[in-house]
């Protein structure tokens, strides 16, 4: 939550690793992570928060940073991707990956009241522009976002 602040007394993972010789690096895209006011950058040697960037761009930038890295210290790299968050608009390559003939157990429908109570960025619409009330569509899109994020992480692991 953006109003919460990490107390300086808390020892972060980055601080613990830095104390034993690790270079500690953060790259992320969540707007709540910009700046150091919340104390989340505590213990990091390099903190790069860039709200609004795609995971794809973040991976390219991390790769470029890694290529220019001169330190030989062991590396603790924390990457914060935003893909599984709203809006649920996964890349074309994974759209439809989890489409099934029939609903999954436990799926159902949202009521219009539930739909309206959701944050704007979570609301999906049908192809006709009507509120999407089929819960299965939300579950599939979320799973597709997770799959896209897994592929980004896999790409990062290969590049690094």
């Amino acid at each position: 939550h953006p109003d919460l602040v990490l107390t300086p007394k808390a020892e972060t993972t980055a601080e613990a690793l830095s104390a034993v010789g690790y270079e500690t690096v953060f790259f992320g895209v969540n707007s709540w992570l910009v700046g150091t006011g919340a104390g989340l950058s505590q213990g990091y040697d390099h903190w790069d928060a860039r709200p609004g960037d795609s995971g794809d761009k973040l991976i390219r930038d991390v790769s470029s940073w890694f290529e220019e890295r001169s330190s030989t210290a062991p590396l603790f790299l924390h990457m914060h991707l935003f893909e599984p968050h709203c809006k649920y608009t996964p890349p074309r390559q994974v759209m439809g990956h989890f489409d099934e003939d029939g609903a999954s157990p436990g799926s159902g429908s949202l009521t219009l009241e539930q739909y309206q109570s959701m944050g704007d960025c979570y609301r999906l619409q049908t192809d006709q522009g009507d509120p999407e009330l089929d819960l299965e569509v939300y579950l599939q899109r979320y799973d597709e976002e997770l799959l896209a994020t897994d592929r980004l992480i896999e790409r990062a692991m290969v590049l690094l």
Side-chain angles (χ1 to χ4, degrees):
H1 192 275
D3 296 332
L4 298 177
V5 175
L6 181 66
T7 177
K9 293 178 185 177
E11 182 181 28
T12 66
T13 302
E15 287 175 308
L17 290 171
S18 184
V20 293
Y22 277 75
E23 179 180 11
T24 55
V25 178
F26 173 88
F27 282 88
V29 299
N30 190 326
S31 60
W32 288 359
L33 303 173
V34 173
T36 59
L40 298 176
S41 63
Q42 192 172 303
Y44 283 94
D45 299 314
H46 178 83
W47 180 272
D48 190 346
R50 42 188 66 215
D53 276 3
S54 69
D56 188 57
K57 181 170 181 349
L58 183 75
I59 299 300
R60 285 193 313 269
D61 291 346
V62 168
S63 179
S64 294
W65 176 88
F66 192 76
E67 288 173 8
E68 296 174 14
R69 179 177 182 245
S70 60
S71 174
T72 57
L75 176 66
F76 171 64
L77 172 63
H78 177 165
M79 290 188 313
H80 182 90
L81 301 165
F82 205 75
E83 271 64 15
H85 297 73
C86 64
K87 289 198 169 222
Y88 295 143
T89 53
R92 275 193 321 260
Q93 299 88 335
V94 297
M95 283 290 284
H97 186 86
F98 295 104
D99 289 347
E100 299 176 325
D101 296 329
S104 298
S107 66
S109 296
L110 297 169
T111 65
L112 190 54
E113 182 178 287
Q114 288 170 320
Y115 177 85
Q116 291 170 339
S117 71
M118 296 166 64
D120 288 340
C121 76
Y122 292 103
R123 292 183 197 149
L124 297 178
Q125 295 182 338
T126 65
D127 291 339
Q128 295 75 32
D130 297 322
E132 179 59 74
L133 301 177
D134 184 352
L135 186 56
E136 184 66 21
V137 172
Y138 289 88
L139 297 174
Q140 289 172 358
R141 294 303 162 257
Y142 183 73
D143 287 347
E144 290 163 355
E145 290 283 358
L146 290 176
L147 177 60
T149 302
D150 283 349
R151 290 181 178 174
L152 285 169
I153 294 169
E154 179 180 31
R155 204 172 105 225
M157 298 305 293
V158 169
L159 291 172
L160 304 176

